[in-house]
Amino acid sequence: NPVVVAVALGIGNAVFLGGGWAITGRTRYQTAGRALTLLACLVMPLNLWFYHAQGLMTLEGHLWAAALVCTVLYAASAMVLRDPTFVYVLIGGITMTGLLMLNTMGRFWEIAAPATFLAVLGMICVHLERAFSENEGPFTRRRFGLAFFWSGHAALAAGRLGAQAWEGHW
């Protein structure tokens, strides 16, 4: 039964994610906890693939809603672990959710919509660097601000390269 398998995959992924958070927060095995959390975050989009492949949630339907849940969990991971590595995962999740929303609206194959989305996301991320304080603490400009800055440049580059590839201007 695809629904039972989907629920089991979701619960298993949540257990790994929560386990990574717990190991990082409650033991001295920080690297193992972060690795387990990162693995859970990287496997999470496979649930979306399974939903689509089994017809539970399709690309034309509301698969973006499940991607939004993944993105919220990515943001929670960055905040709980206070690790800038998860900023890159978060921006990837926002990108995935936004592109799935564009696909639902039927605008994905119009190159202007995805390129504009990636450019706007990139500019927001680049400017978010200044939202972080230069003072001491877990969420400083040097740690989290730079992660947003470089993620923004990656989003800008992806939008530009995608538009160039679509138009054939290599």
Side-chain angles (χ1 to χ4, degrees), residues 2-152:
V3 174
V4 173
V5 175
V7 169
L9 287 171
I11 290 172
N13 206 309
V15 166
F16 277 106
L17 186 67
W21 291 356
I23 289 171
T24 303
R26 299 181 182 196
T27 68
R28 62 188 178 105
Y29 303 109
Q30 301 292 307
T31 304
R34 283 186 172 90
L36 189 59
T37 304
L38 185 61
L39 182 62
C41 287
L42 295 177
V43 169
M44 222 176 282
L46 293 177
N47 291 328
L48 302 178
W49 167 81
F50 183 79
Y51 298 159
H52 177 72
Q54 297 300 317
L56 301 173
M57 295 177 94
T58 62
L59 286 172
E60 295 77 24
H62 296 288
L63 190 60
W64 64 267
L68 184 61
V69 171
C70 293
T71 303
V72 169
L73 291 172
Y74 296 159
S77 295
M79 292 183 68
V80 167
L81 300 182
R82 299 176 179 180
D83 187 350
T85 302
F86 292 95
V87 170
Y88 301 105
V89 176
L90 170 64
I91 301 305
I94 292 170
T95 303
M96 172 180 62
T97 303
L99 293 177
L100 284 171
M101 289 174 95
L102 288 173
N103 188 60
T104 301
M105 292 186 291
R107 308 271 326 261
F108 182 78
W109 296 108
E110 301 170 12
I111 192 58
T116 303
F117 168 71
L118 289 170
V120 169
L121 176 64
M123 293 305 296
I124 289 170
C125 289
V126 166
H127 286 88
L128 268 177
E129 177 201 11
R130 294 294 175 183
F132 293 92
S133 172
E134 289 185 12
N135 300 332
E136 295 298 319
F139 300 105
T140 61
R141 186 176 297 168
R142 183 174 204 95
R143 293 188 66 210
F144 275 81
L146 281 178
F148 275 104
F149 181 78
W150 291 116
S151 295

